[in-house]
Amino acid sequence: MRTSTHLAGLVAAAALCGAGSAFAATWTFTGALEQPAGYGAATDTAGGVTATATAWANTANGPSGTNTVLASAYLTPQGTSGVGARHADSESTSSPQHAIDNDGRIESVLFSFAGDKVNLSATYFGWVDNDSDYSVYAYTGAGTGGVAGLTYADLTSNGWSLVGHYNSNSSAGSKSINSDIFSSYWLIGAYNGTGSGMDTKKDYFKLKSVTGATCADTPGGKGCGRTPPPGGSIPEPGTLLLVGIGMLGLTRMKRRQTAA
């Protein structure tokens, strides 16, 4: 009985360990900016990982034309609604242009994560006006994931992977992000016009939070740097549970044979 009880405990522990990939942390950006100087930055720490948010917009000139290249924008605190952005070309501070928008210039927020890579699964818009279509990128290149000097069209040829352009609506709330990428750098902004099949409405939203899993809680995640075991990937919780049940059954059979 003692052996069986011990193995039953191991089975439960294996299942719990395998379920670690379900963990998710949320980084929230409300209240005053933690770094108010210059263009401003907001930070939050969750799950042992610190996220820093900065704002960017296509206000610089380049070979593609006027106001095509990304440069720093002002990250603006919007209370419990989250953060907005104001581009550096004297953008109005009145509503709705105090939000992250694509009216005149296209504004985005760059999230830099320190402590671990992150797979974002959702973002929360605390305020929306008119529409809230959004574009999401994750950095999968080498080194630091910067956007300065790039156009939105240049991103995917400079280390950034397009996660998706998302059709949304005029309602605030949670917005999904669908990707298996783990990265230290993520870019979320108003729809930037590089996709297809999107509506032509202007988008305005305030970004309150982002949610995702870290590499520490998702062994074998894409981009985490951990090599899966030969012949397959990291065992799923269900697989670990079945293996444990099999071990428990074999032990009981052996006990019965010995008793006979």
Side-chain angles (χ1 to χ4, degrees):
M1 179 63 72
R2 182 176 300 173
T3 302
S4 298
T5 302
H6 179 64
L7 279 175
L10 289 176
V11 170
L16 287 172
C17 289
S21 60
F23 174 82
T26 296
W27 294 267
T28 303
F29 306 92
T30 54
L33 298 181
E34 286 80 5
Q35 300 174 31
Y39 288 99
T43 63
D44 189 39
T45 300
V49 177
T50 297
T52 300
T54 55
W56 297 82
N58 54 335
T59 54
N61 304 330
S64 300
T66 303
N67 298 322
T68 56
V69 176
L70 288 163
S72 292
Y74 296 98
L75 190 74
T76 60
Q78 301 295 330
T80 57
S81 295
V83 293
R86 179 170 57 87
H87 65 68
D89 284 349
S90 302
E91 183 178 23
S92 170
T93 57
S94 61
S95 181
Q97 289 190 293
H98 61 323
I100 299 163
D101 65 78
N102 51 14
D103 187 354
R105 308 289 184 270
I106 303 168
E107 296 158 348
S108 298
V109 176
L110 174 63
F111 295 94
S112 303
F113 293 90
D116 202 354
K117 293 182 178 180
V118 172
N119 170 244
L120 292 183
S121 56
T123 182
Y124 193 98
F125 296 167
W127 179 94
V128 168
D129 185 80
N130 193 55
D131 200 16
S132 60
D133 297 347
Y134 55 105
S135 299
V136 181
Y137 295 80
Y139 187 70
T140 52
T144 302
V147 297
L150 302 177
T151 68
Y152 282 111
D154 289 339
L155 290 173
T156 54
S157 58
N158 285 274
W160 289 90
S161 295
L162 173 65
V163 173
H165 300 298
Y166 295 87
N167 269 310
S168 191
N169 50 41
S170 59
S171 299
S174 182
K175 312 291 180 176
S176 63
I177 298 173
N178 303 308
S179 173
D180 60 354
I181 297 172
F182 284 76
S183 176
S184 295
Y185 305 95
W186 289 78
L187 186 72
I188 303 176
Y191 172 60
N192 60 33
T194 63
S196 60
M198 307 290 284
D199 62 55
T200 59
K201 297 177 182 177
K202 295 298 184 184
D203 305 293
Y204 307 86
F205 58 83
K206 299 172 185 177
L207 197 156
K208 182 175 182 177
S209 67
V210 291
T211 297
T214 64
C215 283
D217 293 287
T218 314
K222 183 177 180 180
C224 288
R226 177 172 174 178
T227 304
S233 59
I234 302 297
E236 294 294 328
T239 303
L240 294 171
L241 185 59
L242 289 173
V243 170
I245 291 173
M247 292 171 58
L248 185 59
L250 288 172
T251 301
R252 287 180 174 173
M253 288 178 61
K254 185 176 181 180
R255 283 172 53 83
R256 288 174 181 172
Q257 291 173 353
T258 301

